[in-house]
Amino acid sequence: MNEVLSQDEIDQLLSAISSGDAENDDFKLVNSPKKIKIYDFKRPSKFSKEQLRTVSNMHETFARLTTTSLSAQLRSLVHVHVASVDELTYEEFIRSIPTPTTLAIINMDPLKGNAVLEIDPAITFCMIDRLFGGRGTTTGNKNRELTDIEQEVMEGVIVRILANMREAWTQVIDLRPRFQQIETNPQFASIVPPNEMVVLITLDTKVGDEEGMMNICIPYLTIEPIVSKLSSQFWFSSVRRNSTTQYASTIKGQIASVDMDVVAEVDTINLPIRDVLSLRVGDVVRLSNIKVGEPLSLNIGNRKKFYCQPGVVGKKMAVQITGKMEDSDSDDFEELSVEGDETYE
């Protein structure tokens, strides 16, 4: 049971506090701990988690396209997938890659500045061996610079990879990456100051039995103008919008080349099978549902679409479209929708 202090005890307690005789621990207030977020001013965060996730999604598409294109070019099994997407300083990136290595400087037009594509030496020499007709083995010295001929060969590989990058970025910007040059020493690839923040996309790459990494390093200064577009909502809405128009035009182009049967139907009549079997050239079949001068129906496949008038063009029988049936859809058969001057033989 709690004790209630008397007035004398309260006076003594206040006197002890004012004189400093009481210990501080006796009167310490218990406060709830505050949540402290550590912020490193040497490595300021430029990207949100959602933006990094969007960059990862974009380069998953890039990885799939690169897997297909490199497999065809190298005639070998190639597998590329995104291992991680990180935010770090350019100096940390340079220190993390081996020397020598294959560093491709990329112009990110229409964005300002350059990016870097780094390919692990094991993967580089494996690709070169395959393109030179080998089996893709790298038993020689990997810690050496590329010869002039090897650099020319790798330029062709890198150009093909950049085409995949353009396709992957198409939902955000019409990127036109251009290869500039190859460097083998990371110290000579100073595209931004060492303390500048970059986004690093690391891709696990396997060519045949060789495994290694490909790294795409994009400075924040380069990507800053479109950083607001690196959101899942914008990216997925762009995918749906562009996919709809793209696929619609593709499907329409494919359908336009399909052959369809066009039949001018005069009328229908029911006849016993014995009468049909006895029909000969010159016989007359009386039709009761259509009169002379009435338009015929022109069937596209098994659907009635147009009215037509029979006639002759040269020595061939033909029909001329005179109108569209009311129940036909406006968008169906656009190329046949000209009234009055379409003739089919």
Side-chain angles (χ1 to χ4, degrees):
M1 185 173 179
N2 297 330
E3 295 182 2
V4 179
L5 298 178
S6 63
Q7 185 62 43
D8 292 336
E9 291 174 335
I10 294 174
D11 294 337
Q12 292 176 8
L13 183 60
L14 293 174
S15 299
I17 293 173
S18 59
S19 61
D21 295 334
E23 296 182 0
N24 292 334
D25 292 340
D26 295 338
F27 309 103
K28 186 180 293 183
L29 296 177
V30 179
N31 296 325
S32 60
K34 295 182 179 179
K35 295 182 179 179
I36 300 175
K37 182 178 180 181
I38 299 175
Y39 187 85
D40 188 354
F41 287 92
K42 293 182 180 180
R43 295 184 56 184
S45 179
K46 300 286 189 178
F47 300 93
S48 66
K49 291 183 178 180
E50 182 185 16
Q51 290 167 346
L52 292 177
R53 193 179 306 114
T54 302
V55 172
S56 178
N57 292 335
M58 291 165 54
H59 286 86
E60 285 287 358
T61 302
F62 167 77
R64 290 193 297 271
L65 295 172
T66 303
T67 296
T68 303
S69 63
L70 288 183
S71 297
Q73 186 178 17
L74 302 177
R75 297 182 181 275
S76 177
L77 291 176
V78 177
H79 182 67
V80 182
H81 73 275
V82 177
S84 63
V85 177
D86 302 304
E87 183 183 7
L88 67 164
T89 64
Y90 187 67
E91 183 180 16
E92 290 174 324
F93 163 66
I94 292 298
R95 289 181 178 179
S96 67
I97 57 180
T99 303
T101 186
T102 303
L103 283 168
I105 310 299
I106 304 166
N107 179 272
M108 298 291 282
D109 186 60
L111 299 176
K112 296 180 180 180
N114 298 324
V116 171
L117 170 65
E118 189 265 337
I119 305 177
D120 189 271
I123 299 299
T124 298
F125 287 109
C126 178
M127 291 179 177
I128 291 172
D129 189 67
R130 285 294 304 168
L131 293 172
F132 282 168
R135 297 182 177 180
T137 56
T138 56
T139 56
N141 181 21
K142 300 178 185 178
N143 297 321
R144 65 175 178 85
E145 295 186 358
L146 299 177
T147 65
D148 292 341
I149 294 177
E150 289 171 342
Q151 285 196 23
E152 290 290 335
V153 171
M154 285 305 299
E155 284 183 18
V157 175
I158 292 168
V159 168
R160 178 169 290 200
I161 291 175
L162 294 184
N164 300 328
M165 180 183 289
R166 178 176 184 175
E167 181 69 21
W169 281 67
T170 234
Q171 311 300 339
V172 175
I173 186 175
D174 183 17
L175 189 67
R176 297 183 294 276
R178 295 197 309 271
F179 169 79
Q180 287 191 335
Q181 64 188 47
I182 287 181
E183 295 287 353
T184 55
N185 190 334
Q187 302 301 322
F188 298 148
S190 300
I191 60 173
V192 288
N195 59 348
E196 182 62 36
M197 298 303 295
V198 300
V199 58
L200 180 65
I201 303 98
T202 302
L203 303 122
D204 279 331
T205 307
K206 185 175 181 180
V207 180
D209 295 330
E210 291 289 338
E211 294 187 29
M213 297 286 187
M214 283 197 303
N215 293 303
I216 301 175
C217 174
I218 307 174
Y220 176 77
L221 291 176
T222 299
I223 207 172
E224 183 179 14
I226 59 168
V227 75
S228 61
K229 296 182 178 180
L230 298 179
S231 64
S232 301
Q233 182 178 2
F234 179 88
W235 191 67
F236 284 115
S237 64
S238 299
V239 169
R240 290 194 297 269
R241 182 173 60 252
N242 293 343
S243 298
T244 301
T245 56
Q246 176 186 355
Y247 295 150
S249 60
T250 302
I251 293 172
K252 185 177 179 180
Q254 293 293 331
I255 293 177
S257 61
V258 175
D259 293 332
M260 296 289 294
D261 292 331
V262 180
V263 178
E265 184 179 292
V266 178
D267 197 5
T268 58
I269 187 173
N270 295 324
L271 290 176
I273 188 64
R274 68 174 65 89
D275 293 343
V276 174
L277 295 176
S278 64
L279 288 174
R280 297 292 183 270
V281 178
D283 289 350
V284 176
V285 178
R286 183 182 294 277
L287 303 175
S288 58
N289 297 328
I290 189 170
K291 297 180 180 179
V292 176
E294 288 187 1
L296 310 180
S297 64
L298 187 67
N299 299 349
I300 309 298
N302 59 354
R303 300 181 64 181
K304 299 178 183 293
K305 285 295 177 182
F306 302 98
Y307 294 111
C308 63
Q309 189 70 33
V312 177
V313 176
K315 296 182 179 180
K316 297 181 179 180
M317 298 181 64
V319 292
Q320 183 180 42
I321 294 177
T322 58
K324 183 186 298 183
M325 293 189 175
E326 294 180 358
D327 60 344
S328 61
D329 298 332
S330 59
D331 294 334
D332 292 346
F333 306 99
E334 288 185 9
E335 301 300 326
L336 302 179
S337 61
V338 179
E339 297 185 2
D341 58 353
E342 288 289 340
T343 304
Y344 293 88
E345 300 177 5

